Amino acid sequence: MLDQLRQMDTCTLGTQRLRRLFTTTTITTSTHLHYLLLSVLLAILVCDQIANGYRILGVFPLHGKSHWIMQEALMKELARRGHQVDVVTHFPLEKPIPNYTDISLKGSLPQVMNNMTAAEVLGFSTPSISNLVAMAGNNICALLDHPKIQELIKNPPQDPPYDIVIQELFAAPCYLAFGRHLKVPIVTTVASAFHDWLNEVSGNPMNPAYVPSLFSEYGQNMNFKERLTNFLLTHYLSWQMHYYTNAQLKFVLLSVLFAILVCDQIANGYRILGVFPLQGKSHWIMQEALMKELARRGHQVDVVTHFPLEKPIPNYTDISVKGSLPQVMNNMSAADLKAGFSTPSISMFVAMAGNAICALMDHPKIQELIKNPPQDPPYDIVIQEMFAAPCYLAFGRHLKVPIVATVASVFHDWLNEVSGNPANPAYTPSFFSEYGQNMNFKERLTNFLLTNYLSWQLHYHTNTQLKFVKEHFGMDLPHIKDLYSDVALYLVNSHHSLNGIRPMTTNVIEVGGLHLKDDDNPPSPEVQKWLDESKDGCIYFTFGSMVRIETFPKEMIQQIYASFEKIAPVRVLMKVAKKEDLLPGLPKNVMTQSWFPQISVLKHKNIRAFITHGGIFGTQEAVYCGVPMIGIPLFGDQIVNIKNYVNKKVAISLNSVTEVTEEKLTSAINNILKDPSYRENL
């Protein structure tokens, strides 16, 4: 593996340069899978264009020679490969080498090399975390007063500035403040096996059943007593380490740093490019909420979208591509649904929601972004949705900025592999699965095959998007999956309370309900009057922003009419895009509109139930407003969404649109109306 590293002389992974907000990577000398991560990380660090090497600050204030061996090798190799490295160390080089500058602390702490007696060694026979932190932590943090470190803090170089900080993690996490202070990412080194106390703070999974503690005498094959002891020791050491190192906050001057960061954000917000070329209104809901909030907080956001704001707001600029693709809002018929979604086809899915979206790179406004991105100031970050068009990830590499990806549903099956997120199909249902988390053996096997098949198919079909990346960005890549490595953070529209427990790494953050707000547009006077007068209750019925209820077969519409007539005097609000296409005979207790302000409707005191296709945004809004649901799932994740709510006893499912009958629908409505537990469970 190290031979492979030495052979890496060129690389296109320059987008790691500005991952200053979101990433901290840890290198360890462990001999397991960490070497794979090591190769990728070092490729990023040392293989970027040699002509434009990074400026790297190495911070190694621990005065232990054995710890220095790894750090010296790493920093000298980075210098050899053309990067400019400045190194805080107690062991300055005896012979200077190009690109390497010592920031020497030699003599500032008592020497430990060749200076430990047998008596002192015996003092380590009973490990004490408080002693360890005092000697290798707090004493090291006190070096922040050293004139050379003070100069680094107060007057860091600006021509060029630092691109990254590399430092050892042992017992002095106080120095991690350098990353935040300089607004650059941190790479940490660990001069031994991964420490017990690093698992919690890095999000690394730990299993003390077979992973011995750093201070344990056990191997990996432990009996029950040893596993129990190892479990207790691992957690005790972790708790003790964080307890004692917390005293280092005094060295960091947290209040001063916080003031610096907050004031900087207010006075000099980031310039953010939002790239959302998908024309699905339901997907846009999350993106709009995020970008508007970033603008409200003082950041300058430029947003590629099919849905420009009706009313401009400060700091927010639309880059509108409206009208460049066929409209899907209120434009999907029952026939379209049957033709395109009855049997999920990844090739068709990628063609519609991927390749057709990538073709938008020819749009003049997107071409302008690619060829002449703003420079005063330039973009600091790109935010874009991850669905079926990873071609747009090339923007991060092109602009040399990090990418934050949003996911408008639960985390997709195909994202686990490319994000390094652990996938466990034994209890995590596939995106297109009908299963819940409690599966029998046959279901687990089916779910395993489906999860992996979908992932393989998605990456296979999206790989054709390399032609767009080559044509518009001039990048030759081995596979489209290569671009995912530039994603620093995933914001996922899910929450474990609704979608079940899922394993997630620290760069996958659940933000389910991000779009929810209390100040939704009020209903029209007509709708408000209808709701206020619905003293016996009102049912809200919609199939979302795309599907037109009025296009479903006559027989099904008649069944729905009969059910609604039967529940009178309970009223119904039904979203119908085109009233003129609706079957005649609408019951008198039903009002139709082409659009409703959904949250305002669901919040009304007289709403008793929500008949829904199971879209994730609508169901989140129902939960937020405390309204039980009747699910008629149509396609995609709607099936598993409804199943989740049924399992939580806040919904009743009719299973499929083909199974809707007057009897089933009436029974479901009456059960919701008459059984208070559905509402109480919310």
Side-chain angles (χ1 to χ4, degrees):
M1 181 62 71
L2 291 176
D3 288 338
Q4 293 174 352
L5 290 179
R6 294 187 186 104
Q7 293 168 7
M8 294 178 182
D9 291 324
T10 60
C11 182
T12 59
L13 295 179
T15 55
Q16 305 297 324
R17 179 174 183 136
L18 291 175
R19 286 195 179 178
R20 59 182 177 268
L21 295 177
F22 302 104
T23 53
T24 299
T25 307
T26 301
I27 301 175
T28 116
T29 53
S30 172
T31 56
H32 296 288
L33 291 178
H34 298 113
Y35 276 125
L36 180 58
L37 296 176
L38 180 62
S39 65
V40 175
L41 180 61
L42 282 183
I44 291 169
L45 286 174
V46 305
C47 298
D48 197 46
Q49 300 170 3
I50 300 303
N52 299 295
Y54 292 115
R55 185 159 193 181
I56 302 171
L57 174 62
V59 182
F60 308 109
L62 188 68
H63 52 320
K65 179 67 174 180
S66 58
H67 285 251
W68 172 242
I69 293 171
M70 175 186 180
Q71 328 309 335
E72 182 181 28
L74 174 61
M75 301 310 290
K76 287 169 75 173
E77 181 63 15
L78 288 169
R80 189 189 70 79
R81 299 200 180 200
H83 302 285
Q84 182 178 346
V85 300
D86 300 340
V87 186
V88 176
T89 177
H90 294 269
F91 305 97
L93 299 182
E94 294 181 4
K95 295 181 180 179
I97 61 174
N99 304 318
Y100 188 111
T101 302
D102 283 307
I103 301 173
S104 177
L105 308 177
K106 187 175 181 180
S108 57
L109 286 178
Q111 182 175 318
V112 294
M113 184 176 173
N114 292 327
N115 203 33
M116 184 176 286
T117 66
E120 289 169 330
V121 170
L122 293 174
F124 290 97
S125 58
T126 304
S128 164
I129 295 297
S130 61
N131 287 343
L132 171 66
V133 172
M135 291 189 299
N138 298 350
N139 284 346
I140 307 303
C141 290
L143 276 178
L144 288 169
D145 281 330
H146 192 285
K148 291 186 179 178
I149 296 181
Q150 280 294 299
E151 180 66 17
L152 267 181
I153 295 171
K154 294 174 181 176
N155 298 298
Q158 298 299 325
D159 187 25
Y162 289 118
D163 297 296
I164 198 165
V165 173
I166 301 178
Q167 67 182 80
E168 182 188 5
L169 267 198
F170 190 48
C174 57
Y175 284 90
L176 290 172
F178 263 107
R180 189 167 298 187
H181 179 58
L182 298 173
K183 296 185 177 65
V184 297
I186 296 175
V187 171
T188 61
T189 63
V190 182
S192 66
F194 206 61
H195 305 325
D196 304 355
W197 49 88
L198 293 181
N199 287 301
E200 175 191 351
V201 292
S202 67
N204 193 57
M206 81 177 155
N207 194 328
Y210 66 89
V211 180
S213 166
L214 185 69
F215 293 132
S216 165
E217 300 178 4
Y218 307 135
Q220 287 198 311
N221 297 318
M222 294 176 266
N223 60 33
F224 176 76
K225 180 181 178 182
E226 290 170 339
R227 290 199 303 273
L228 177 60
T229 304
N230 190 60
F231 170 84
L232 295 173
L233 179 60
T234 298
H235 285 81
Y236 175 74
L237 289 175
S238 180
W239 168 73
Q240 283 271 288
M241 173 60 67
H242 297 311
Y243 174 80
Y244 286 111
T245 56
N246 197 49
Q248 294 172 12
L249 286 177
K250 64 184 180 182
F251 298 105
V252 181
L253 301 174
L254 188 61
S255 60
V256 175
L257 282 177
F258 182 76
I260 292 170
L261 289 170
V262 171
C263 293
D264 179 68
Q265 292 285 48
I266 294 171
N268 300 295
Y270 291 107
R271 185 158 196 184
I272 302 172
L273 174 63
V275 182
F276 308 108
L278 187 68
Q279 78 273 36
K281 178 66 173 179
S282 58
H283 285 251
W284 171 243
I285 293 171
M286 174 187 182
Q287 328 308 336
E288 181 181 30
L290 175 61
M291 301 311 289
K292 287 169 75 172
E293 181 62 20
L294 287 169
R296 190 189 70 78
R297 297 193 181 202
H299 301 288
Q300 183 178 347
V301 301
D302 301 337
V303 185
V304 176
T305 176
H306 295 269
F307 306 97
L309 298 182
E310 295 179 5
K311 296 180 180 179
I313 62 174
N315 305 318
Y316 188 111
T317 302
D318 283 306
I319 302 173
S320 176
V321 290
K322 185 177 181 179
S324 56
L325 287 177
Q327 181 175 317
V328 294
M329 185 177 175
N330 290 329
N331 205 32
M332 182 177 285
S333 67
D336 295 330
L337 195 64
K338 185 175 182 180
F341 295 96
S342 56
T343 303
S345 164
I346 295 297
S347 62
M348 185 180 295
F349 167 61
V350 171
M352 291 190 300
N355 298 350
I357 307 302
C358 292
L360 265 182
M361 287 183 178
D362 281 326
H363 193 284
K365 291 187 178 179
I366 297 180
Q367 281 294 298
E368 181 67 16
L369 267 181
I370 294 172
K371 294 175 180 176
N372 299 297
Q375 297 298 327
D376 186 25
Y379 290 117
D380 297 297
I381 196 165
V382 172
I383 301 178
Q384 66 182 79
E385 184 189 1
M386 280 286 91
F387 195 45
C391 55
Y392 283 92
L393 288 172
F395 262 108
R397 194 166 296 188
H398 178 62
L399 298 172
K400 294 184 172 61
V401 298
I403 294 175
V404 171
T406 63
V407 182
S409 63
V410 295
F411 206 58
H412 307 324
D413 302 354
W414 50 89
L415 292 179
N416 287 304
E417 174 192 352
V418 291
S419 67
N421 195 61
N424 194 329
Y427 66 89
T428 305
S430 167
F431 187 66
F432 291 125
S433 167
E434 299 181 7
Y435 306 135
Q437 287 201 309
N438 296 317
M439 294 176 266
N440 59 34
F441 176 76
K442 180 180 178 182
E443 291 170 337
R444 291 198 302 274
L445 178 60
T446 305
N447 190 60
F448 168 81
L449 295 173
L450 179 61
T451 297
N452 287 277
Y453 175 74
L454 288 175
S455 181
W456 169 71
Q457 281 274 286
L458 197 290
H459 297 310
Y460 174 80
H461 289 293
T462 57
N463 197 46
T464 61
Q465 296 173 16
L466 284 176
K467 64 183 180 184
F468 298 103
V469 176
K470 169 66 174 174
E471 177 184 352
H472 296 291
F473 294 96
M475 298 179 189
D476 283 309
L477 302 175
H479 200 284
I480 197 70
K481 291 191 290 186
D482 184 62
L483 287 173
Y484 287 93
S485 64
D486 298 336
V487 178
L489 182 72
Y490 291 87
L491 302 177
V492 186
N493 185 39
S494 64
H495 193 270
H496 57 269
S497 64
L498 303 181
N499 306 104
I501 298 171
R502 294 167 178 260
M504 297 209 174
T505 56
T506 52
N507 70 327
V508 180
I509 309 296
E510 290 191 302
V511 294
L514 177 72
H515 71 291
L516 296 171
K517 57 182 181 179
D518 288 322
D519 60 343
D520 195 22
N521 294 326
S524 67
E526 181 186 11
V527 173
Q528 186 69 49
K529 185 174 184 292
W530 177 271
L531 286 168
D532 291 342
E533 293 176 355
S534 300
K535 302 302 181 185
D536 295 292
C538 186
I539 310 295
Y540 176 49
F541 177 26
T542 176
F543 276 163
S545 63
M546 293 169 58
V547 179
R548 295 173 55 205
I549 293 172
E550 63 272 24
T551 64
F552 281 83
K554 173 183 176 181
E555 296 75 18
M556 175 185 162
I557 299 296
Q558 287 175 333
Q559 295 287 312
I560 292 172
Y561 283 1
S563 175
F564 288 168
E565 215 166 16
K566 192 172 274 189
I567 64 171
V570 174
R571 291 177 163 188
V572 179
L573 284 178
M574 184 165 77
K575 177 188 171 278
V576 176
K578 297 180 180 179
K579 292 183 182 180
E580 62 271 20
D581 293 342
L582 190 61
L583 186 73
L586 187 72
K588 294 180 180 179
N589 63 326
V590 180
M591 173 190 278
T592 66
Q593 296 275 332
S594 61
W595 176 84
F596 293 100
Q598 191 154 281
I599 293 180
S600 292
V601 168
L602 289 169
K603 282 172 60 178
H604 196 280
K605 63 180 180 179
N606 291 333
I607 289 292
R608 297 288 184 267
F610 179 29
I611 303 175
T612 173
H613 63 308
I616 195 163
F617 291 100
T619 55
Q620 286 175 346
E621 289 161 6
V623 171
Y624 177 66
C625 298
V627 178
M629 291 166 274
I630 296 164
I632 308 175
L634 303 177
F635 58 84
D637 62 334
Q638 298 161 10
I639 298 169
V640 72
N641 291 342
I642 291 297
K643 184 153 192 156
N644 279 337
Y645 294 118
V646 170
N647 291 339
K648 296 178 188 305
K649 297 180 171 53
V650 298
I652 295 172
S653 178
L654 299 188
N655 298 321
S656 166
V657 71
T658 60
E659 297 182 31
V660 175
T661 65
E662 177 271 324
E663 182 181 358
K664 288 181 179 179
L665 182 56
T666 303
S667 173
I669 293 173
N670 283 328
N671 282 336
I672 293 286
L673 293 175
K674 295 175 182 179
D675 185 349
S677 68
Y678 286 100
R679 187 174 288 271
E680 290 166 359
N681 289 335
L682 287 161

